[in-house]
Amino acid sequence: MDQKVSESHTLQHYDLYIDGRDVPCDRTMESLNPYNGQPWAVVPDAREEHMDAAVAAARRAFDEGPWGRMTATQRGALMRKLADIIARDAEELAQIECRDNGKLYREMLGQWRYIPEYFYYFAGMADKLQGDVVPSDRTNFFIYTRREPVGVVGAITPWNSPGLLLTFKLAPGLAAGCTFVVKPSEHTPVSTLELGKRFKEAGFPDGVYNVVTGQGALGAALVRHPGIDKIAFTGATDTGKKIAASAASNLTRVSLELGGKSPNIVFDDADLDVAANGAIAGIFGATGQTCMAGSRLLVQESVHDALLDRIVERTKQIRLGNPMDAETEMGPVANEPQFRKVLDYIEIARSEGGTLCYGGQRDPDLGGFFVQPTILSNITNDMRIAREEVFGPVLSVIKFRDEEEAVRIANDTRFGLAAAVWTKNIHRAHRVAHRLRAGTVWINAYRVVSFLTPFGGYKESGLGRENGADAIREYTETKSVYVELTGEPRDPFKLG
């Protein structure tokens, strides 16, 4: 299993997962394997009535079912069981995602082996979520606060890392006591459906976890549904804006983890070999299909050519191929619309004056949706390739003179998700990190996340935070409770 995973050519068929059981649907759609462009699974293309049923099931589980009556400790115990089952099935789930989105099996396996840690962490936090005793300005009142679950959560997840990015929402939300209706991307729905079996095996009450698959209109129906208390979305910024506007009609709470155009800043005192590896990992890892991709490489003038030469030479050696093979270093783009978009952006960059250093086209030797890892130099920060999210294996290299210019270029973007600083100067490292307007900053590293650490963006990269202690607060409401201590009649027309 660690060396090479055999491919199945049998179409897998799935039902919706609603109220603890499989629910058939009269409409279906095919999920394509990006490696060969062929269908490998058949999944439901649900109607709005299925969404209504899922929301109703989640509402019953929250308001009336055993889930709402469980103690936080009991919820945590179920989450630990779920984590154990996911750990047991990590290889199977990784294979599923590899076929669904074309990412490397070894990367997906690493993710699924790490996902249980999120559930263990938040399971432990479930019964540590507590309110405060508030000092009273009146002698006859005792005042305290409670942290209570926000209610029914609608989770809308993307195609790039469906299991991990769903876990970012599920783990804190379940710990807080919420129930879920999940609408995964129509391109990568299978692992989300597969999780339903694991919830059932772990003993979660019916209705706590529901999955409704279908086209984008189904997600819109979820956002505007009056039975939803919160929307948790990961995806494109423009879509996130539409979701926020639609959710506002019901005053539905939202958390949005959106796009990025993250600066990867290399100063002239950096270790160039290490920085070159970091730049390659930041943009070509996951075929560049990650919101935190280091798509803008900012390089100090004096080391620009030397660093670019290193990156180009290493990029030429990147092995494209079957994502199931252990030797493969970069897989295909996840779906045809994204494949076309990436190629279009490369042509736009060249038309604006960018210099193609390597790549720039569909790989001539492979089928499916393979785009060569692409490096563009002579990019200025006003070009579209430097300002708009490509979400593919395209690196834009930008020169800068000094620290002031580096920070100015880095912050000159509507996004603010992530950034990195490469330098041996500890004073500069912290100084620049503090000035960057981004939710995550790495120093001499790139593309590292943890269940312990908040993740989210500034500006148009989103609202709210996922992971870490901050995340669970996104799934709770604060209730203030006043307790009158004397029992004596009060003046009904006097406040307090």
Side-chain angles (χ1 to χ4, degrees):
M1 293 294 289
D2 290 334
Q3 293 303 311
K4 191 169 183 176
V5 180
S6 62
E7 296 215 45
S8 171
H9 299 287
T10 303
L11 277 177
Q12 306 296 310
H13 290 261
Y14 289 88
D15 293 325
L16 302 168
Y17 187 75
I18 299 174
D19 206 14
R21 51 193 150 271
D22 294 332
V23 176
C25 178
D26 60 342
R27 300 191 309 186
T28 61
M29 57 187 186
E30 293 177 333
S31 187
L32 301 183
N33 183 335
Y35 172 58
N36 56 26
Q38 299 301 310
W40 79 278
V42 177
V43 299
D45 184 9
R47 304 176 186 274
E48 283 199 32
E49 53 261 37
H50 296 113
M51 184 65 73
D52 291 339
V55 174
R59 176 58 60 191
R60 285 193 301 273
F62 183 78
D63 288 341
E64 307 164 14
W67 179 253
R69 296 191 295 273
M70 282 185 179
T71 66
T73 303
Q74 290 171 326
R75 291 199 304 270
L78 286 180
M79 291 177 66
R80 283 188 287 273
K81 288 182 183 177
L82 178 62
D84 290 343
I85 292 167
I86 291 172
R88 180 198 69 195
D89 295 346
E91 291 184 355
E92 178 185 352
L93 293 164
Q95 290 180 50
I96 286 168
E97 288 206 348
C98 186
R99 293 190 180 99
D100 228 11
N101 72 0
K103 278 193 172 181
L104 301 186
Y105 172 69
R106 57 179 170 174
E107 179 180 355
M108 292 296 94
L109 182 58
Q111 282 190 9
W112 279 103
R113 285 177 171 168
Y114 193 48
I115 281 172
E117 298 296 337
Y118 288 81
F119 288 101
Y120 293 138
Y121 173 77
F122 284 103
M125 191 176 289
D127 56 9
K128 315 302 185 297
L129 189 64
Q130 58 193 39
D132 295 307
V133 173
V134 181
S136 176
D137 60 342
R138 298 170 178 85
T139 59
N140 61 327
F141 276 93
F142 171 67
I143 307 169
Y144 63 93
T145 61
R146 288 170 49 88
R147 303 291 299 189
E148 298 184 350
V150 71
V152 178
V153 177
I156 303 176
T157 54
W159 43 259
N160 56 324
S161 288
L164 182 65
L165 296 176
L166 175 58
T167 299
F168 282 11
K169 300 158 183 52
L170 276 179
L174 293 171
C178 297
T179 58
F180 278 81
V181 177
V182 184
K183 194 282 178 188
S185 167
E186 59 268 31
H187 298 293
T188 56
V190 179
S191 62
T192 306
L193 288 166
E194 281 280 350
L195 272 182
K197 302 174 186 176
R198 280 78 183 173
F199 269 82
K200 192 76 172 178
E201 183 181 348
F204 278 79
D206 295 344
V208 172
Y209 178 78
N210 307 272
V211 184
V212 184
T213 60
Q215 303 298 324
L218 199 65
L222 179 61
V223 172
R224 65 175 181 264
H225 201 292
I228 294 294
D229 299 301
K230 173 186 169 66
I231 291 290
F233 170 76
T234 298
T237 292
D238 290 346
T239 305
K241 289 179 180 180
K242 293 175 184 176
I243 285 173
S246 179
S249 64
N250 292 321
L251 292 181
T252 304
R253 287 141 183 79
V254 296
S255 57
L256 306 170
E257 198 272 279
L258 306 178
K261 199 68 187 176
S262 300
N264 207 348
I265 307 169
V266 182
F267 287 97
D268 58 7
D269 66 335
D271 183 318
L272 296 189
D273 291 327
V274 175
N277 281 338
I280 289 166
I283 189 60
F284 299 135
T287 318
Q289 299 170 120
T290 170
C291 53
M292 59 186 171
S295 53
R296 289 188 299 154
L297 182 65
L298 279 55
V299 187
Q300 197 157 14
E301 288 177 333
S302 58
V303 296
H304 174 274
D305 293 350
L307 180 62
L308 184 57
D309 287 345
R310 284 171 167 82
I311 293 172
V312 170
E313 286 306 308
R314 178 62 183 90
T315 301
K316 289 178 180 178
Q317 300 168 27
I318 292 176
R319 292 186 291 273
L320 277 64
N322 187 343
M324 292 287 192
D325 290 348
E327 297 80 15
T328 300
E329 294 179 311
M330 200 178 94
V333 174
N335 55 74
E336 186 171 8
Q338 188 63 25
F339 171 75
R340 301 294 176 193
K341 176 185 173 183
V342 172
L343 291 176
D344 287 346
Y345 265 110
I346 294 170
E347 290 309 308
I348 290 169
R350 297 182 70 179
S351 70
E352 290 181 322
T355 299
L356 183 63
C357 300
Y358 185 74
Q361 61 182 338
R362 181 177 195 159
D363 191 275
D365 301 320
L366 296 165
F369 306 132
F370 281 90
V371 176
Q372 294 174 329
T374 299
I375 302 169
L376 296 158
S377 64
N378 293 321
I379 302 299
T380 58
N381 205 51
D382 58 346
M383 295 179 179
R384 285 184 64 188
I385 196 69
R387 306 203 70 78
E388 299 174 14
E389 188 176 38
V390 177
F391 220 69
V394 182
L395 179 65
S396 298
V397 185
I398 303 171
K399 289 182 182 179
F400 68 85
R401 292 185 302 275
D402 54 25
E403 183 178 314
E404 284 300 316
E405 185 176 37
V407 172
R408 179 184 62 77
I409 294 172
N411 287 336
D412 180 19
T413 174
R414 66 189 177 109
F415 299 107
L417 188 60
V421 181
W422 300 84
T423 178
K424 294 177 182 177
N425 184 322
I426 190 170
H427 306 292
R428 171 188 280 162
H430 289 286
R431 187 169 63 239
V432 173
H434 293 180
R435 295 180 65 191
L436 293 173
R437 298 284 295 166
T440 296
V441 179
W442 297 284
I443 296 173
N444 296 326
Y446 205 92
R447 203 167 163 249
V448 180
V449 295
S450 168
F451 55 88
L452 296 163
T453 310
F455 182 77
Y458 288 24
K459 298 186 279 188
E460 292 191 20
S461 285
L463 301 170
R465 291 294 181 268
E466 297 186 309
N467 304 338
D470 286 9
I472 200 166
R473 300 186 187 100
E474 302 280 345
Y475 293 88
T476 62
E477 299 274 22
T478 301
K479 177 183 287 183
S480 298
V481 180
Y482 289 77
V483 183
E484 208 282 329
L485 297 176
T486 67
E488 298 175 356
R490 298 172 55 246
D491 183 345
F493 302 104
K494 182 181 177 182
L495 182 65

